[in-house]
Amino acid sequence: MGTVLRTEKLCKSFSNGGIQQHVIRNLDLEIEEGDFTVIMGASGSGKSTLLYALSGMDRPTLGKVFFGGEEISGYNNDKLAMFRRSNCGFVFQDIHLLNYMNITDNVLTGALVNKKNSPELRKKVEELFDRVGIAPEIRKKFPNQLSGGEAQRVGIVRAVVNDPKILFADEPTGSLNSAAGQDVLNIFTELNRSGQSVVMVTHDLKTALRGNRVIFLRDGSIVSEYRMEPYGGQDEKERRDGLQAFLEEMGW
Amino acid sequence: MKSLRLAFFNIKKHIWEVLVLILLTTASVTMLGISLTNFGKVERIYDHVLEGNGCIRAVIGIKSEGYLDEYEEILRNDERVERVIRFDALHTLTGRMTAAGKNDIELTYYIVDEDNEALIENAELDTTLSEEELAALEHPIRLPYFFKDSLGFRAGEEATLILGGKELPVTVAGFYDSGMFATTYTGLKLVVSSQDYKVLRVGTDEVTILGFDEKDQKDPKVVEDIFSDFQISATEVSDGTFIRNAVFNDYYAYERLICSVTCETVLTMVVVMSVILTVAIAFLIWQRISSDMEEQIRNIGVLMALGYRAKDISRVYVWEYALIGIIGGVIGFLCTLVISPVFFMIFRIMSGHHGTVPTAYGLLFAGIVLMMLILSGIAWIKAAKVRKYPPVVALRNGTADHLFKKNHFSLEKTKNSVNLRLAMKLFAGKVGQSIGIFVCITAASTALMTGVLAKNLVGNDLIVRSAGMELSDLRMELNPYADAKEMRNDLLKDDRVRKVLLTVPLLTPVEMGEDQSQGLAQVYENFEDTENIFCTKGRPAIHDNEFMVNNLMAVTKGIDVGDEVVLGSDRYQQKFIVTGIVTSVTNSGLNIYLTYDGYHRLEPTSSLNCLEVYLNDGVDSKEFRKDMETKYGRSLRDLRKAVEEASTPEEKIRARAEEKMAVLISEYGVSGVDYSITVGETVISGNSDDYRIKDTSSLKELIDQQNTSMMIAVNLGVIMFGFLDLVITAVILIMVTSSAIRKLQTEMGVMKALGYTSRELTLQIGYSVMPPVILAIITGGFAGTFLIKMYANLFGNISFNYTHLILTGLAMMVFCMLISLVGILRIRKITPYRLMAE
């Protein structure tokens, strides 16, 4: 397994009313292929900012981001868009399905930006829907007609339809109830088991347990990281205790 | 007051959009104000001039050679007639005025002397010359204001009046506001001294004009009835010759119409523009409130949850747009005060009349109030929709709205471009917005296309093609003795000449039908040789019992191809068969087309003594005309000059002989002169070969100059329409697209996250507004064509050049696309970063 994503002295600052706010500070990080990396930290620690900088959604203020050995931090907006369409999938906390089209078209919007329409593509979409448990009768519905859990599962299908090298998720269960959240996390786990690299931001312990690597941020810097066996690979209690201990140590 | 404060807050929040709306409202109110304050003013000025000058209102013109004293008696005995005057005038259809630094002014002129002018009207002379300077002028000429305002003549300026080859040097004594013959359409009245009148009279058609006022000036039919009864009586006393010598003119009604028609055409266009602008403003307000409500939906929900009623919230919008209406109305009112007098000044120049009449500002106030009511009304209707959002729906971001939608343009059926498909999805989701864009741009493009076609209609090419007359480069009317065929052969030897056709003089009368209504003969040996007489139905006349009729006459007289019609002269009446209908916009629809053999049946002694000369490409027609006049048409001026400048006895004798010869030819119709005078051993001889041309003219130039003011009005209108259209279209599209981006910010962020580039998203939004735009432009093209065709059909089957229309449509589409893209530029600033969970 090689390094799929790497940062060098990554910095991200925002200017708010003339005041510079340094959200990410000289951050060095490597994301391994096939890993399920979880980014944790207190509110305002820079978790989401880091995720968006890693995924090419935003450019760093200073430092570099390398994807598969190629520096993407110098790309212009259009090149970054091309990079995202080929390499990244995104799952958002607020799901952000497009309300003016049905859910099949929502998924195809993600797919057709990268591929031509074909029976194979449509078959693949159907298979993904089957895989995440979206029944055929709701595939023609509009996003506002779905429950939160259903919508997020559609969001995941949209994110993975292009076979991204990395799947980024920003608090994917944040707006879901517990049961729906677990369903969604099961999908992430399943995807990771099939070799999908995942980088997820969360502040929830149960969610973080799905990963095999937890990075803890404070004031824009990595304070420490915790590695564990992949989810389901060892005694769950032991995993939870180990992670909990790590987080408590971090002052979480 | 809370609503008012919130309205002010909203205005401050959307200051740029508010400023645009105020600007458009100001423009709309100003246009409305200009129209309301100027409509009917030019007509009132004319009434004022007529009254001030004591000018008569209707005229009957009779060729002096056919005038009988009994005619005046008939008119005096009519109880419906109040005042009768009789005066003489020289009439030339295509006279010329030339002056240094100015183009030749070839127009229809009536020339009167000072005594006759005193009978017609007493207009004040507007001059910068002193009494002494005026008295010292050898050849003074008084000109209507048209010469000063439109052609830039000045008092004291030297000019030359050219009538039928005679050149009279004149000095402009000054200008006057003429109540009669003041426009290029009616002919312009020039006032010269009695002595000059006598000189010009030689060889020029003189008309005796009976002028009168009707007693009942309120009934527009009275004058028509007087004319009709007069014609019956005059025909009786003249044994039928009256009809071929007379022209009736309800001058007051005609001049009033002519002097105001171009101004009111412009004002109508301005009103139409104001209406289009108002429609656009209404749409923008509609769009703006809709967009604002979508943006503010959660705030609306919170306010309603706090106990605000729907009407409290909608009142905020009503106040906001009422304030915009008030501000725009007041600024528009002030702009009207400044701009309206400028328009009035232009209209005075276009009408050929000076003078002032009071402005009706009451109407202007009414217009402003109307505008404010429209804006507030639109805001009230749209804002009332806030009732559709009870708190629970509003706080769910109007979720109810999104249920049960149809999934238009399914991506599963995408064939090529997903961007185009996504654009169509956006388009289908905004039916209301698309209808609004369609309505506004249809109105704007209809106006623009109508303008483009109107320009095409009055443009030279179309007038020329629809004239129904030969518009050769030079038309030469020959003196009676001249051999036209021989001269044609001479001309054909000239390398510059392409073709020469023989015809009869302009305004050659022919009677038609049982009512002996007057027609004007267009006679040619073979219509296959003509270049500008086209049959829209049937075929050209070939045989001596065939003729063609113009479309207007065919419609009004109910004549069709194959009908048998009696044509007549004052001597013969013959039956002819109609073989074709000809499109003709000239001679008020009186043209009748006969072969020479056919005409010969009516006028057996006639000959074709006019030449239509067609020049090769690149030949200077003015230069050619000058050459012809020098070669074949020596003028009395030349002769008088020769007499004055002759120094030796031999030169003096020759000059006198030439002068006598010219007078014999011109005034007495002598067909040819040879002279030989022996003085001692010297023989002085000469002949009339140099005096073959009676008159030269160029109908093409006459039509050009007559249409000048209409062309100016139409061009001005097209420019104004074009500019306004661009502004309206740009504002609508920029506001629609920027509002779309504002509303779709999150969606665009998601699309960017999915890997769509700014360029792709720009195209998607751009394409999404294009269907209604394209449809609107096409509809505008058809609507404009329909409107103009409806008007043009009055003249006949006129074929248009649609290239300009298509090019304008394409240019407008490109413009719309570019403007949409400009409005979407800010999409580049949208970053998927904003999708980050808070």
Side-chain angles (χ1 to χ4, degrees):
Chain A
M1 294 288 176
T3 301
V4 64
L5 198 60
R6 180 166 63 84
T7 68
E8 270 181 24
K9 307 284 182 199
L10 182 70
C11 295
K12 182 72 192 178
S13 307
F14 295 101
S15 177
N16 192 356
I19 299 164
Q20 285 285 326
Q21 194 181 353
H22 303 287
V23 181
I24 304 286
R25 301 161 190 255
N26 290 325
L27 193 143
D28 293 327
L29 173 68
E30 286 185 0
I31 303 289
E32 299 297 325
E33 197 177 343
D35 266 4
F36 192 139
T37 308
V38 176
I39 302 171
M40 296 189 80
S43 286
S45 59
K47 305 185 293 288
S48 294
T49 305
L50 175 61
L51 185 84
Y52 283 76
L54 289 175
S55 60
M57 293 266 227
D58 198 11
R59 275 195 293 257
T61 311
L62 284 171
K64 293 172 182 174
V65 179
F66 295 91
F67 184 88
E70 190 172 351
E71 187 190 341
I72 61 165
S73 42
Y75 284 2
N76 63 23
N77 286 339
D78 281 355
K79 215 167 172 191
L80 276 177
M82 306 296 271
F83 160 75
R84 287 195 297 269
R85 72 168 67 162
S86 310
N87 301 295
C88 307
F90 295 93
V91 179
F92 306 98
Q93 178 181 349
D94 290 337
I95 307 167
H96 293 310
L97 293 179
L98 301 168
N99 282 329
Y100 58 90
M101 55 179 80
N102 70 19
I103 60 169
T104 302
D105 278 3
N106 259 283
V107 174
L108 284 171
T109 302
L112 291 173
V113 68
N114 206 30
K115 294 172 183 154
K116 291 219 160 160
N117 193 10
S118 64
E120 292 75 31
L121 177 66
R122 290 197 295 275
K123 192 178 168 200
K124 182 181 177 185
V125 171
E126 296 298 319
E127 283 171 0
L128 284 170
F129 274 139
D130 289 340
R131 195 170 164 190
V132 300
I134 296 293
E137 63 271 18
I138 58 173
R139 291 173 196 175
K140 300 294 176 196
K141 285 189 175 179
F142 277 77
N144 286 319
Q145 294 171 277
L146 305 183
S147 68
E150 285 170 333
Q152 192 59 295
R153 278 182 276 158
V154 174
I156 294 170
V157 172
R158 182 178 67 182
V160 298
V161 72
N162 282 334
D163 301 319
K165 293 205 172 59
I166 303 186
L167 176 61
F168 293 95
D170 188 5
E171 308 263 18
T173 57
S175 58
L176 304 180
N177 63 34
S178 178
Q182 284 309 308
D183 287 345
V184 165
L185 289 174
N186 287 340
I187 296 167
F188 274 98
T189 302
E190 195 193 324
L191 287 167
N192 180 241
R193 277 180 187 154
S194 60
Q196 175 70 60
S197 307
V198 179
V199 178
M200 180 190 287
V201 165
T202 185
H203 58 260
D204 175 56
L205 176 65
K206 276 187 183 171
T207 306
L209 277 167
R210 300 294 178 134
N212 65 328
R213 181 187 181 198
V214 176
I215 292 166
F216 198 88
L217 287 185
R218 187 181 297 139
D219 296 333
S221 299
I222 297 173
V223 183
S224 182
E225 70 170 77
Y226 178 78
R227 282 193 176 269
M228 51 191 167
E229 286 296 307
Y231 182 76
Q234 68 179 99
D235 180 31
E236 276 312 299
K237 188 174 179 310
E238 192 182 322
R239 287 181 87 249
R240 186 188 296 114
D241 291 345
L243 179 59
Q244 196 158 3
F246 167 73
L247 292 174
E248 277 171 11
E249 193 184 327
M250 293 296 110
W252 183 70
Chain B
M1 287 310 285
K2 260 183 280 179
S3 303
L4 187 59
R5 284 176 72 88
L6 282 170
F8 273 118
F9 175 75
N10 270 355
I11 288 176
K12 206 174 158 188
K13 191 174 157 202
H14 305 112
I15 189 68
W16 284 109
E17 286 170 354
V18 167
L19 286 177
V20 168
L21 282 171
I22 288 175
L23 191 71
L24 294 179
T25 309
T26 301
S28 181
V29 169
T30 306
M31 287 176 189
L32 194 65
I34 288 167
S35 308
L36 292 174
T37 50
N38 282 302
F39 252 118
K41 240 177 158 182
V42 171
E43 287 181 349
R44 293 206 298 278
I45 287 181
Y46 177 60
D47 288 346
H48 188 69
V49 171
L50 202 78
E51 201 178 320
N53 292 0
C55 189
I56 40 87
R57 295 161 60 96
V59 291
I60 302 167
I62 304 141
K63 277 188 185 170
S64 294
E65 62 195 37
Y67 180 77
L68 300 174
D69 289 334
E70 287 89 334
Y71 295 153
E72 189 174 342
E73 282 311 305
I74 295 169
L75 207 52
R76 285 191 187 281
N77 292 335
D78 192 323
E79 287 177 354
R80 293 163 298 183
V81 172
E82 195 165 51
R83 178 168 66 123
V84 178
I85 61 161
R86 196 191 88 182
F87 61 93
D88 294 322
L90 301 176
H91 173 248
T92 172
L93 194 66
T94 54
R96 273 188 293 161
M97 277 277 280
T98 61
K102 292 186 174 68
N103 290 328
D104 283 11
I105 304 131
E106 181 153 359
L107 287 167
T108 300
Y109 295 118
Y110 286 90
I111 295 147
V112 297
D113 65 15
E114 285 153 349
D115 297 337
N116 278 297
E117 172 64 358
L119 291 170
I120 304 166
E121 58 183 327
N122 290 301
E124 199 179 320
L125 185 69
D126 176 1
T127 183
T128 51
L129 302 181
S130 65
E131 290 287 330
E132 293 75 27
E133 285 172 320
L134 283 172
L137 293 179
E138 196 180 349
H139 302 292
I141 188 166
R142 281 193 244 165
L143 302 173
Y145 270 127
F146 170 80
F147 283 87
K148 183 183 181 188
D149 296 336
S150 299
L151 303 175
F153 275 84
R154 292 285 167 265
E157 190 169 346
E158 301 287 339
T160 304
L161 181 60
I162 306 169
L163 296 183
K166 295 181 294 296
E167 293 185 10
L168 178 72
V170 290
T171 309
V172 179
F175 307 91
Y176 69 104
D177 204 344
S178 178
M180 178 161 283
F181 304 130
T183 67
T184 55
Y185 288 95
T186 54
L188 293 156
K189 176 154 60 70
L190 315 179
V191 184
V192 297
S193 67
S194 301
Q195 197 184 346
D196 288 337
Y197 183 87
K198 280 176 196 157
V199 172
L200 292 169
R201 191 165 168 263
V202 176
T204 307
D205 293 331
E206 187 174 42
V207 285
T208 300
I209 296 174
L210 292 172
F212 66 90
D213 287 341
E214 71 277 26
K215 276 182 188 162
D216 181 4
Q217 298 182 349
K218 284 177 185 162
D219 183 356
K221 278 205 74 187
V222 169
V223 175
E224 210 176 294
D225 293 342
I226 293 171
F227 284 156
S228 180
D229 293 344
F230 182 88
Q231 182 177 338
I232 293 166
S233 306
T235 306
E236 274 176 22
V237 300
S238 67
D239 291 335
T241 58
F242 170 77
I243 193 70
R244 57 178 285 126
N245 290 318
V247 173
F248 296 96
N249 196 341
D250 182 359
Y251 193 81
Y252 170 74
Y254 187 64
E255 172 70 18
R256 213 167 181 262
L257 174 73
I258 288 297
C259 73
S260 63
V261 68
T262 41
C263 308
E264 300 206 340
T265 303
V266 171
L267 287 175
T268 306
M269 288 196 274
V270 173
V271 168
V272 171
M273 285 192 280
S274 174
V275 171
I276 292 170
L277 207 46
T278 308
V279 171
I281 294 167
F283 168 65
L284 289 173
I285 290 175
W286 195 270
Q287 175 76 13
R288 182 73 217 92
I289 293 177
S290 162
S291 158
D292 200 55
M293 274 162 66
E294 278 187 43
E295 274 178 52
Q296 301 286 327
I297 195 157
R298 277 172 174 271
N299 295 341
I300 289 171
V302 171
L303 286 174
M304 288 173 101
L306 290 174
Y308 277 80
R309 294 167 299 176
K311 70 177 179 184
D312 295 328
I313 296 167
S314 58
R315 203 181 291 148
V316 176
Y317 289 109
V318 176
W319 268 118
E320 185 180 343
Y321 293 99
L323 284 170
I324 290 172
I326 291 168
I327 297 168
V330 170
I331 303 174
F333 173 74
L334 297 174
C335 290
T336 304
L337 292 183
V338 176
I339 300 171
S340 181
V342 177
F343 266 75
F344 182 56
M345 199 174 72
I346 295 168
F347 292 153
R348 287 199 323 181
I349 292 171
M350 284 163 69
S351 72
H353 295 295
H354 283 203
T356 51
V357 287
T359 304
Y361 285 106
L363 279 173
L364 179 56
F365 281 114
I368 293 168
V369 171
L370 181 73
M371 181 60 75
M372 285 190 292
L373 287 177
I374 289 172
L375 299 195
S376 312
I378 294 286
W380 182 73
I381 293 166
K382 183 63 187 170
K385 293 268 165 76
V386 82
R387 275 181 306 213
K388 278 173 60 183
Y389 298 116
V392 65
V393 175
L395 290 168
R396 276 203 322 245
N397 278 341
T399 291
D401 262 358
H402 297 296
L403 291 175
F404 313 118
K405 268 187 179 176
K406 262 185 120 179
N407 187 50
H408 299 281
F409 297 99
S410 168
L411 294 185
E412 291 175 82
K413 293 175 184 165
T414 305
K415 285 191 176 139
N416 296 311
S417 166
V418 69
N419 292 311
L420 192 59
R421 198 105 188 143
L422 286 167
M424 290 304 105
K425 257 186 181 308
L426 283 173
F427 155 68
K430 294 285 172 192
V431 176
Q433 174 183 289
S434 297
I435 292 172
I437 293 175
F438 175 76
V439 170
C440 291
I441 296 185
T442 297
S445 66
T446 301
L448 182 66
M449 301 303 188
T450 308
V452 168
L453 286 172
K455 188 171 157 46
N456 195 309
L457 183 70
V458 300
N460 284 340
D461 285 352
L462 198 73
I463 293 279
V464 164
R465 279 189 284 125
S466 320
M469 287 178 79
E470 283 302 282
L471 301 178
S472 57
D473 294 293
L474 180 64
R475 191 182 173 99
M476 294 194 285
E477 188 178 342
L478 306 183
N479 280 315
Y481 65 88
D483 186 337
K485 285 186 179 171
E486 185 194 328
M487 197 159 157
R488 173 170 65 177
N489 292 337
D490 281 353
L491 286 169
L492 286 171
K493 289 174 194 162
D494 191 322
D495 290 343
R496 294 172 295 178
V497 175
R498 175 168 59 87
K499 183 162 72 177
V500 181
L501 297 183
L502 297 177
T503 184
V504 294
L506 290 167
L507 309 183
T508 298
V510 175
E511 294 158 18
M512 190 176 90
E514 289 173 6
D515 60 351
Q516 296 186 322
S517 56
Q518 198 183 54
L520 295 171
Q522 303 293 322
V523 180
Y524 292 91
E525 288 174 302
N526 186 347
F527 281 99
E528 280 187 8
D529 296 334
T530 59
E531 297 186 353
N532 210 43
I533 295 170
F534 308 107
C535 279
T536 52
K537 191 175 178 188
R539 61 159 175 83
I542 299 169
H543 304 292
D544 65 356
N545 65 337
E546 296 175 347
F547 83 110
M548 290 117 72
V549 66
N550 83 81
N551 52 289
L552 193 61
M553 203 177 250
V555 171
T556 52
K557 302 274 179 193
I559 300 169
D560 206 348
V561 172
D563 289 352
E564 193 175 69
V565 178
V566 174
L567 300 182
S569 66
D570 53 348
R571 283 186 281 180
Y572 298 101
Q573 293 210 322
Q574 305 283 358
K575 285 181 181 171
F576 286 81
I577 293 167
V578 180
T579 63
I581 311 289
V582 176
T583 295
S584 171
V585 296
T586 55
N587 286 340
S588 311
L590 294 175
N591 290 332
I592 288 170
Y593 304 85
L594 288 156
T595 61
Y596 175 62
D597 293 337
Y599 183 65
H600 214 253
R601 289 174 64 211
L602 300 174
E603 291 282 356
T605 57
S606 70
S607 60
L608 298 175
N609 65 337
C610 269
L611 300 173
E612 300 269 18
V613 184
Y614 302 80
L615 301 176
N616 285 314
D617 288 344
V619 175
D620 184 340
S621 59
K622 285 186 178 158
E623 193 66 32
F624 180 80
R625 183 175 182 173
K626 211 170 170 184
D627 286 355
M628 291 298 107
E629 285 172 352
T630 310
K631 193 171 176 187
Y632 300 112
R634 291 184 63 191
S635 69
L636 282 183
R637 183 194 176 201
D638 295 336
L639 296 173
R640 201 167 46 225
K641 206 172 164 188
V643 172
E644 283 166 5
E645 291 175 359
S647 52
T648 65
E650 186 184 330
E651 282 174 353
K652 281 183 182 168
I653 290 166
R654 184 181 294 280
R656 286 286 175 204
E658 299 259 331
E659 190 182 29
K660 288 278 179 202
M661 185 170 64
V663 171
L664 282 171
I665 292 164
S666 302
E667 202 160 3
Y668 299 103
V670 172
S671 58
V673 179
D674 282 284
Y675 69 86
S676 182
I677 302 163
T678 307
V679 182
E681 291 180 0
T682 311
V683 178
I684 303 165
S685 60
N687 59 41
S688 57
D689 279 1
D690 287 354
Y691 303 93
R692 286 193 239 176
I693 296 177
K694 184 181 176 191
D695 198 4
T696 60
S697 59
S698 168
L699 286 183
K700 216 188 273 182
E701 288 202 11
L702 177 72
I703 287 175
D704 253 9
Q705 302 207 5
Q706 279 187 336
N707 285 309
T708 303
S709 58
M710 181 55 96
M711 282 294 286
I712 291 169
V714 171
N715 285 338
L716 192 70
V718 171
I719 291 167
M720 287 197 299
F721 269 130
F723 179 72
L724 187 81
D725 275 347
L726 296 184
V727 170
I728 290 178
T729 309
V731 168
I732 287 174
L733 290 176
I734 287 177
M735 283 183 88
V736 164
T737 48
S738 51
S739 144
I741 289 174
R742 205 167 41 236
K743 283 193 270 185
L744 292 171
Q745 246 180 114
T746 304
E747 283 84 350
M748 293 297 112
V750 173
M751 301 285 268
K752 283 197 167 184
L754 294 176
Y756 286 87
T757 61
S758 295
R759 189 176 149 272
E760 286 169 326
L761 296 176
T762 302
L763 287 177
Q764 280 178 27
I765 296 183
Y767 289 153
S768 75
V769 296
M770 285 312 280
V773 170
I774 292 170
L775 196 63
I777 292 170
I778 293 170
T779 308
F782 279 111
T785 308
F786 174 75
L787 290 174
I788 284 290
K789 280 229 157 186
M790 215 165 59
Y791 175 71
N793 280 344
L794 297 174
F795 299 103
N797 188 10
I798 293 172
S799 59
F800 287 88
N801 179 357
Y802 290 104
T803 315
H804 290 127
L805 192 76
I806 293 166
L807 288 177
T808 308
L810 289 175
M812 201 164 165
M813 284 179 201
V814 172
F815 174 78
C816 289
M817 191 64 200
L818 291 176
I819 282 294
S820 304
L821 298 181
V822 169
I824 306 164
L825 275 180
R826 61 193 289 253
I827 207 167
R828 294 184 172 276
K829 291 184 182 167
I830 294 178
T831 159
Y833 190 80
R834 69 187 309 279
L835 304 172
M836 182 193 286
E838 289 167 15

